[in-house]
Amino acid sequence: MSEEPWGEIDIQQWQTLPHVTSRLASEADVKDGRAVFYLGNADQIVTAPYDVGLPHCALLVDEESGEKIPVIIVQAERAGEVILVGYRFLTGGNGMCTLSEIELLDEPDNTFHSPLR
C-alpha cells in the first residue's frame, strides 16, 4: 500500500485499508485518508453511518458507457433518503457516489481485477 492516503492500492492488502465504520466521518478522517467526504452540515440533515461491511470491494458502474470500474468502499453514510459511499480507485485517487451507482462484490473476482481506471 502506498504511504500517500490516496495512492495506488496493493490489491493483496485491500482488507487493511483505513476506513470509517459505525460513525459519521469527520474532517480529520478525510485528511488522514480514512474517509473521502464528510458532511459538514450533518446537523441539518438526517445522517447516520450505513453498514455495508467496510472496506468493501465493488464495481462503480459508469452510467454513460456501462463500464465497470473496480473500487474499494471505505465509507458509507445515509443522508436523508440517499446512501452516499466514498471509495478508492485501485490505481489511486478517490470519489463518491450513491450506493445505487455501485455493484457490491462479496470478494475480488475476475471482473474486479481486470479493468483499471
Side-chain angles (χ1 to χ4, degrees):
M1 195 168 5
S2 171
E3 292 298 317
E4 183 202 326
W6 309 120
E8 186 174 348
I9 295 171
D10 176 353
I11 193 61
Q12 302 303 316
Q13 302 292 320
W14 73 271
Q15 292 175 309
T16 65
L17 283 178
H19 58 281
V20 175
T21 187
S22 302
R23 64 178 175 79
L24 298 176
S26 67
E27 184 175 8
D29 291 321
V30 174
K31 288 179 181 176
D32 293 340
R34 290 183 297 271
V36 174
F37 65 90
Y38 77 100
L39 301 173
N41 61 343
D43 58 338
Q44 298 172 13
I45 55 177
V46 177
T47 58
Y50 187 80
D51 185 17
V52 294
L54 298 176
H56 202 111
C57 292
L59 297 172
L60 174 64
V61 181
D62 183 287
E63 287 184 15
E64 292 182 21
S65 69
E67 179 184 12
K68 295 182 178 183
I69 303 164
V71 297
I72 305 290
I73 299 173
V74 295
Q75 170 186 18
E77 298 182 11
R78 180 182 296 279
E81 297 300 314
V82 178
I83 298 167
L84 301 172
V85 297
Y87 56 81
R88 292 188 51 189
F89 292 104
L90 302 183
T91 55
N94 63 50
M96 68 178 284
C97 66
T98 63
L99 186 60
S100 63
E101 297 171 273
I102 292 280
E103 186 178 307
L104 297 174
L105 300 174
D106 291 331
E107 59 187 32
D109 62 12
N110 289 338
T111 57
F112 187 81
H113 289 290
S114 56
L116 290 179
R117 190 178 89 141

